[in-house]
């Protein structure tokens, strides 16, 4: 089983601060995705990283894929209350499970004004 | 593009009744849809993979007679919770792959359905 471990589980910060969420595995992934889910809503795809060492930016969000493609991180600069949500990393499940994703346990981020 | 809708968004029912939840891909075709269950402050738990024109594939521990899935077209999958009980109360979310464009298993999620069984 390829497990995706996210840390921390919970993060509470003040508006304007920076934060980093980690997604680690002992297995190599062909790609990893990050989703954000707000309360009472479905997850929304933020980014897909596919190349080892890749860095992608989405406004104040910076996503990195480890060189060995076993880990990824999400860094938010100058967090805002609108960044509050459950952040999930996900990767393709084992071969033979076309289309399936496995998810990390999630990181609940709360940004207070 | 890649919009997925779910209906209803919220349902309250009495114990013993059946509830049907619809999942539609609005602007793309999806040969595969997925049904998840989510408990408060927890990650997504995959229940089953819904394949157009064939039987759904259920994850271990999920009762297929309890959670009936039908994927009748390339844009519609339904989940029916049969003889619902209070322990079936949960947030149910569907997702879909975009046919021929999901190189990396990217899934697009519906807004979810909150089921409360009294």
């Amino acid at each position: 089983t390829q497990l995706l471990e996210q840390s921390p589980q919970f993060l509470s910060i003040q508006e304007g601060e920076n934060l980093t969420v980690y997604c680690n595995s002992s297995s190599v992934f062909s790609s990893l995705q990050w989703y954000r889910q707000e309360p009472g809503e479905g997850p929304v795809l933020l980014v897909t990283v596919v190349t080892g060492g890749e860095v992608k930016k989405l406004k104040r969000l910076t996503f990195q894929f480890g060189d060995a493609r076993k880990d990824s991180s999400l860094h938010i600069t100058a967090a805002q209350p609108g960044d509050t949500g459950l952040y999930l990393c996900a990767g393709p499940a084992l071969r033979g499970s076309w289309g399936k994703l496995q998810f990390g346990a999630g990181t609940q981020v709360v940004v207070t004004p | 593009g890649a919009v997925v809708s779910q209906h209803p968004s919220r349902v309250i029912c009495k114990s013993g009744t059946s509830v049907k939840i619809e999942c539609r891909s609005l602007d793309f075709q999806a040969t595969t849809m997925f049904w998840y269950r989510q408990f408060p402050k927890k990650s997504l738990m995959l229940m089953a993979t819904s394949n157009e024109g064939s039987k759904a594939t259920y994850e271990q521990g999920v009762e297929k007679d309890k959670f009936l899935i039908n994927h009748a077209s390339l844009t519609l999958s339904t989940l029916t919770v049969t003889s619902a009980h209070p322990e079936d109360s949960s947030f149910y979310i569907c997702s879909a792959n975009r046919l021929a464009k999901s190189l990396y298993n990217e899934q697009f999620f519906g807004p979810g359905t909150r089921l409360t069984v009294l």
Side-chain angles (χ1 to χ4, degrees), chain A residues 24-48:
Chain A
N24 296 301
S25 175
S26 57
S27 302
V28 175
F29 281 86
S30 58
S31 64
L32 281 178
Q33 297 157 30
W34 286 93
Y35 294 84
R36 177 171 65 211
Q37 184 181 24
E38 298 185 18
E41 300 288 334
V44 174
L45 177 66
L46 296 175
V47 78
T48 302

Side-chain angles (χ1 to χ4, degrees), chain A residues 42-111:
Chain A
V44 174
L45 177 66
L46 296 175
V47 78
T48 302
V49 287
V50 301
T51 305
E54 181 177 13
V55 176
K56 281 191 173 179
K57 292 195 173 184
L58 186 66
K59 297 184 179 177
R60 293 175 293 100
L61 278 61
T62 302
F63 304 86
Q64 284 192 304
F65 200 13
D67 291 340
R69 292 186 286 130
K70 292 183 178 182
D71 55 87
S72 181
S73 65
L74 157 61
H75 182 79
I76 301 180
T77 304
Q80 298 177 1
D83 296 322
T84 292
L86 179 67
Y87 288 82
L88 298 160
C89 68
L94 293 171
R95 288 182 182 226
S97 307
W98 189 87
K100 282 173 64 172
L101 289 174
Q102 54 180 308
F103 285 85
T107 296
Q108 183 65 53
V109 171
V110 175
V111 183

Side-chain angles (χ1 to χ4, degrees), chain A residues 30-31 33 35 37 40-45 48 50 86 88 92-93 97-101 103-106 108, chain B residues 31-32 34 36 38 41-44 46 49 59 91 93 97-98 102 104-112 114:
Chain A
S30 58
S31 64
Q33 297 157 30
Y35 294 84
Q37 184 181 24
E41 300 288 334
V44 174
L45 177 66
T48 302
V50 301
L86 179 67
L88 298 160
S97 307
W98 189 87
K100 282 173 64 172
L101 289 174
F103 285 85
Q108 183 65 53
Chain B
T31 53
T32 306
F34 304 89
Y36 294 87
Q38 187 176 35
K41 302 190 187 302
K42 297 294 184 182
S43 187
L44 304 175
L46 180 65
T49 302
E59 295 300 302
F91 193 52
I93 312 175
N97 289 127
R98 279 193 299 189
S102 298
Y104 308 112
N105 289 16
E106 292 157 334
Q107 293 182 15
F108 298 91
F109 288 84
R114 172 72 59 192

Side-chain angles (χ1 to χ4, degrees), chain B residues 12-59:
Chain B
I12 300 173
C13 68
K14 292 183 179 180
S15 187
T17 61
S18 294
V19 175
K20 180 185 282 188
I21 302 171
E22 291 187 350
C23 177
R24 293 181 185 272
S25 56
L26 299 184
D27 53 359
F28 66 100
Q29 293 183 329
T31 53
T32 306
M33 290 183 171
F34 304 89
W35 287 95
Y36 294 87
R37 184 172 179 176
Q38 187 176 35
F39 294 100
K41 302 190 187 302
K42 297 294 184 182
S43 187
L44 304 175
M45 183 185 78
L46 180 65
M47 299 174 65
T49 302
S50 172
N51 302 295
E52 187 267 336
S54 64
K55 292 182 179 180
T57 304
Y58 290 81
E59 295 300 302

Side-chain angles (χ1 to χ4, degrees), chain B residues 75-100:
Chain B
T75 59
L76 173 64
S77 176
T78 60
L79 168 68
T80 301
V81 183
T82 62
S83 187
H85 291 284
E87 58 265 29
D88 298 323
S89 298
S90 195
F91 193 52
Y92 293 87
I93 312 175
C94 72
S95 72
N97 289 127
R98 279 193 299 189
L99 180 65

